Amino acid sequence: MKKAILVLSVLSLVAWGLAQRYFSEKELQLIQNGGKAYAGVFQNQRPDQALCSLHRNRLPADLLPQFLEEQRALIKYPQNGRLMGDWKKGGAIFNNLQKANCFSCHFGSPVHLGGDVGPSLEKYGLKRGQSEAVQRYTYEVIYNAWAYFPCTVMYRFGAQGLLSPEEIADVVAYLLDPESEFNTKPAVGSR
Ligand code: HEC
């Protein structure tokens, strides 16, 4: 019992320490004055999410370098080092509402009519090519979009544990491989 209390107090100290890093005294007071429930929800967010909430998803320029660095540090790569996997497996992930659901936000899928929350990805691989830089950019945006677009609504598939590094490499192949149906078949709804 005593041990549990000790562990709990250490954990809350750590949480408090993390919150302290991002909120000034005045900001913390504002959060606490918003009511107990509000403060609870707000303070239990991860520090990066809390920062986005506090600034309504528009981070001030002086916070950007540290934020981007921290987000970049979360990115992990496939064991075999290959950033392009199997495009067929990637398609099954991209076009599955219960898996990555990419098409709901992005136009370009030959299987489903895409949404327009994010930019169109139509013929992405034909337009950008398959250079090392393009592979890396695409992989990293899917793994943790916040490393490029701080606070964006796009899910952070790797950082949040929604997809494994290998699954992300499969999705990268689906977008980039010139033989992928994403690049050989017309997008649903294209004119
Ligand atoms: C909830 C909506 C949403 C989902 C789901 C989503 N994205 Fe995005 N995506 C966005 C938005 C919005 C942007 C643009 C970033 C910004 O400006 O906020 C973006 C940007 C991108 C970019 C960069 C585009 C460019 O022109 O450089 C790629 C690549 C991308 N998404 C791929 C994917 C893939 C692959 C998936 C599924 C694994 C996916 N996205 C799921 C919303 C989404």
Side-chain angles (χ1 to χ4, degrees):
M1 186 62 194
K2 266 194 188 151
K3 224 179 183 176
I5 291 174
L6 187 72
V7 169
L8 269 181
S9 27
V10 169
L11 278 181
S12 37
L13 263 179
V14 169
W16 180 249
L18 283 174
Q20 286 288 0
R21 272 174 56 216
Y22 285 119
F23 299 120
S24 68
E25 262 320 305
K26 199 175 146 233
E27 286 161 352
L28 273 174
Q29 246 171 34
L30 281 174
I31 292 167
Q32 274 149 3
N33 292 345
K36 210 172 174 186
Y38 178 73
V41 170
F42 215 91
Q43 288 181 326
N44 290 327
Q45 293 180 97
R46 293 170 45 118
D48 51 5
Q49 180 60 64
L51 199 61
C52 289
S53 304
L54 184 70
H55 296 283
R56 296 178 180 261
N57 297 342
R58 301 182 76 92
L59 295 188
D62 57 323
L63 296 181
L64 283 176
Q66 192 197 335
F67 186 89
L68 290 172
E69 202 180 303
E70 286 174 3
Q71 294 304 319
R72 176 161 290 276
L74 297 175
I75 300 177
K76 298 195 174 60
Y77 299 88
Q79 294 273 318
N80 65 11
R82 294 185 50 222
L83 300 182
M84 270 173 75
D86 177 338
W87 69 259
K88 286 189 182 135
K89 287 188 193 160
I93 296 168
F94 189 101
N95 292 306
N96 185 344
L97 193 69
Q98 287 166 341
K99 196 71 182 163
N101 193 22
C102 313
F103 69 88
S104 289
C105 290
H106 292 285
F107 186 85
S109 166
V111 180
H112 295 294
L113 180 60
D116 62 359
V117 176
S120 166
L121 299 176
E122 190 175 10
K123 300 283 175 291
Y124 185 84
L126 299 187
K127 288 179 183 150
R128 308 234 181 163
Q130 295 79 37
S131 69
E132 156 73 20
V134 168
Q135 288 182 37
R136 183 162 292 270
Y137 165 75
T138 307
Y139 180 92
E140 290 177 348
V141 167
I142 300 171
Y143 195 100
N144 186 9
W146 283 11
Y148 288 90
F149 310 102
C151 307
T152 180
V153 295
M154 176 164 159
Y155 316 154
R156 302 150 66 207
F157 291 93
Q160 291 173 322
L162 302 168
L163 295 177
S164 70
E166 288 71 22
E167 287 176 317
I168 293 175
D170 291 340
V171 176
V172 172
Y174 184 60
L175 289 179
L176 291 184
D177 195 322
E179 286 178 10
S180 159
E181 287 179 358
F182 198 80
N183 293 314
T184 59
K185 287 192 168 177
V188 175
S190 71
R191 276 166 283 167

